[in-house]
Amino acid sequence: MSTAARQFQMVYLLLEKGRMTAGELAARLEVSQRTVLRDVDALSAAGVPVYTTQGAGGGVALLPGYVLDRAAFTEEEQRLLLAALQSLPGREGDEALSKLSALFRRGPEDWLQVNLSRWGAAEGENEKFSLLKRAVLERQTLRFEYASSYGTIRVRRVLPARLVYKGQGWYLQAFDLEREDYRTFRLSRILSPEFAGEVFHCRLNPPDVEFSGEIPPLFRVEAALRFAPYMAYRVYDEFDQSCVTRQEDGSLLVKAVFPEDQWLYGYLLSFGAGVEVLAPDALRRRLAALGWKIFWAHGEKDDTPCQVCGATMEPSKTKEVPTMENYKDMKFCQSCGMPLGPGTALGTEADGSPSADYCSYCYKDGQFVGEMTMEEMIDFCAPMMAQANSGMTQEQAKAQMHQFFPLLKRWKR
């Protein structure tokens, strides 16, 4: 460290600490006490109001009210400092920015602006950020509702430790009082934060905002995904380029490791028809099943009832079970029993031609979309069949399916 840099560092330390002994300064600056005293004389001669006192409580200090001259910062340091303040939301940052801009006699830089509010929304996120920042600085216990990736919204009481910007968002790291451990909360999922009325004094030391190790094997899935070309903007927003391979047809192949939970399925569904799961097959099947569920929930009642037709889906009042001969004029998917009426998406054979027997959800390119047993198909279809037919229970739906499914081509085998 040069002499000038060392002396400059000494002034910063005295501004921060107020008073330090020559021994403390020597240790921090890694020089002898004699060098510290020579630097004090040099600074004093240069007009910096630094002085020393003897005896108990003595040491090196600056005169009260001393403000570091703007000339102490280089042009680049001034720009960086103003940019850093400009990146912090909240009125306090604006006030500090205004004061330093006046001190440096330069306006704020135009190349950077941070606004935490969503597109088309008000300034609520900026206000939330300011509240959380205040809680961290004042060591105030927080209470808020949190929408987790597991689909639950629960009240959390935490000791806030720090705010972190990571990846594409802001996070609060805090000690969760219920779980007695550190947790990381995404700011956008924190709802209605408020001070709990308690001040804490313990020192918090949260881990870095990273997985502490590999995702446990039980909860990890290595996925291969193919995205349509029009999804390129999201692919490059959300995946590292090292995970992305551009294909000749413009599609994008992504290989990545995910934690397997409800968040993953919701995340993949957010791409709509713009993503196809290539592997693993279990993930592909489950996503297809969720797509089925969405289809049944939003279809027309007389178009989507599973198996035979709407009239036959009512709770049976007799032991009689309808047979295929009763509906010889209707066509059904020979895998799931969905009516193959006009406008229904048909599956495809290996040569790309439409399948005469299967819907597009069960059959593609000459093979079934995922392997499953008849029982698994019944378990999957029963809730949707019961939902589509008022008054029918899932057990009644399963009973009808167990009679009907063995008549379908796929399950005859």
Side-chain angles (χ1 to χ4, degrees), residues 329-341:
D329 295 330
M330 299 181 67
K331 292 185 63 176
F332 309 94
C333 173
Q334 297 298 299
S335 172
C336 69
M338 184 176 72
L340 298 179

Side-chain angles (χ1 to χ4, degrees), residues 196-399:
E198 303 168 8
V199 177
F200 62 94
H201 301 286
C202 57
R203 182 178 178 83
L204 300 177
N205 187 29
D208 291 337
V209 185
E210 287 285 3
F211 290 115
S212 58
E214 292 287 326
I215 303 171
L218 184 62
F219 303 109
R220 65 179 275 140
V221 56
E222 298 182 22
L225 311 171
R226 180 165 57 211
F227 292 90
Y230 65 85
M231 279 293 172
Y233 73 101
R234 280 197 63 186
V235 171
Y236 289 113
D237 272 351
E238 301 173 30
F239 295 96
D240 189 87
Q241 290 191 31
S242 62
C243 301
V244 182
T245 303
R246 189 192 299 270
Q247 307 295 294
E248 291 184 2
D249 62 356
S251 63
L252 301 165
L253 178 64
V254 173
K255 294 184 178 180
V257 177
F258 298 94
E260 187 173 12
D261 55 21
Q262 285 187 333
W263 170 86
L264 174 59
Y265 295 99
Y267 176 70
L268 293 176
L269 286 172
S270 73
F271 291 92
V275 64
E276 178 185 2
V277 176
L278 302 179
D281 194 55
L283 177 61
R284 182 183 177 93
R285 286 202 309 271
R286 291 175 191 141
L287 195 67
L290 285 172
W292 260 111
K293 192 171 184 179
I294 294 171
F295 172 79
W296 288 111
H298 292 81
E300 295 295 331
K301 293 295 182 183
D302 60 354
D303 190 32
T304 62
C306 187
Q307 317 332 319
V308 186
C309 65
T312 65
M313 293 297 99
E314 298 174 358
S316 176
K317 296 180 177 62
T318 69
K319 298 287 186 181
E320 182 181 355
V321 177
T323 63
M324 292 297 289
E325 284 72 24
N326 295 112
Y327 308 99
K328 58 178 180 286
D329 295 330
M330 299 181 67
K331 292 185 63 176
F332 309 94
C333 173
Q334 297 298 299
S335 172
C336 69
M338 184 176 72
L340 298 179
T344 303
L346 299 176
T348 55
E349 300 295 345
D351 60 2
S353 61
S355 171
D357 298 315
Y358 302 106
C359 70
S360 61
Y361 302 100
C362 293
Y363 197 69
K364 181 179 179 181
D365 298 332
Q367 57 185 354
F368 293 112
V369 179
E371 289 299 325
M372 64 174 62
T373 65
M374 186 180 78
E375 289 296 328
E376 288 174 331
M377 180 66 82
I378 289 174
D379 288 342
F380 170 69
C381 290
M384 294 176 285
M385 177 179 173
Q387 183 180 6
N389 295 274
S390 178
M392 175 177 283
T393 67
Q394 291 190 29
E395 291 307 313
Q396 290 169 329
K398 287 183 178 181

Side-chain angles (χ1 to χ4, degrees), residues 15 118 162 344:
L15 283 170
R118 295 172 176 83
R162 64 187 177 199
T344 303

Side-chain angles (χ1 to χ4, degrees), residues 92 129-140 160 163 195:
E92 299 89 343
F129 184 94
S130 296
L131 184 147
L132 298 178
K133 180 180 71 173
R134 180 181 164 193
V136 172
L137 296 176
E138 297 179 2
R139 296 179 176 269
Q140 295 256 21
L163 291 162
F195 298 124

